[in-house]
Amino acid sequence: MSDMSSTADAPRSPGRPRSIRADEAIVQATLDLLAEGSTIEALSIEAIAARAGVGKATIYRRWSGKDTLLLDALRTLKGVVPQPAGHSVRDDLVLLVGAVGHNIDPRAAKIMPCLVPEVNRSPDHFQLYQNIIEPRRKLMREVLRRGVASGELRADLDIELALALLTGPMLIQRMLRWHPELDEKILPERIVDAALEGLRAR
């Protein structure tokens, strides 16, 4: 009895709850397998479970299927979406353009380029990609619309075209290293300032 009491009363070992650790292990296993060359098509719940050291049922209790797990896993590569301060259209755009193609996880350099063919080949994977980037596009739309409403940007601004003008150069530079002479530290500011020359109200 004394042994049982001491065990029950003993403080819990430090660390995150087991359920959170399992979630993280599953997400990390998914990213590891993708970074090692597994395609989305070949990636299986069985392989993820084996790598994470959990049963398939543990995964299915948390995610409805492979696509929802992939969505969460790929979102972790990019980290938290930056939140514009709302004081300056230019500063907010620089913040958001700076986040384009930026991933906090080094495995992204191996994973993201390999996803491009699959996104182009599969409508389901294309939708998966759209679900990842749409919240970021939405933020930039809001900044642009705020600029139009305040009179800083042209009243006839094509919002979707402006999105492409702002994000395209940053994305191609980070994904393909298109021009090695461009300084990525100041590139977001240069892109925004160049684009604003055409977007500003006259």
Side-chain angles (χ1 to χ4, degrees), residues 10-85:
R12 293 183 180 180
S13 59
R16 298 185 177 182
R18 180 173 297 178
S19 60
I20 296 177
R21 290 201 301 270
D23 290 353
E24 291 181 346
I26 293 163
V27 167
Q28 295 305 315
T30 303
L31 295 175
D32 283 342
L33 290 168
L34 289 172
E36 290 167 9
S38 176
T39 64
I40 291 179
E41 290 293 346
L43 189 66
S44 67
I45 294 295
E46 289 81 1
I48 295 169
R51 174 64 67 92
V54 302
K56 288 194 298 180
T58 301
I59 296 178
Y60 284 118
R61 278 198 298 270
R62 291 159 168 78
W63 291 276
S64 61
K66 187 172 75 173
D67 283 349
T68 53
L69 171 54
L70 277 169
L71 181 60
D72 281 351
L74 293 175
R75 278 175 173 159
T76 67
L77 290 178
K78 304 191 73 62
V80 178
V81 180
Q83 296 299 311

Side-chain angles (χ1 to χ4, degrees), residues 187-198:
L187 189 55
E189 293 183 45
R190 295 183 63 191
I191 291 171
V192 170
D193 288 340
L196 284 177
E197 286 299 311

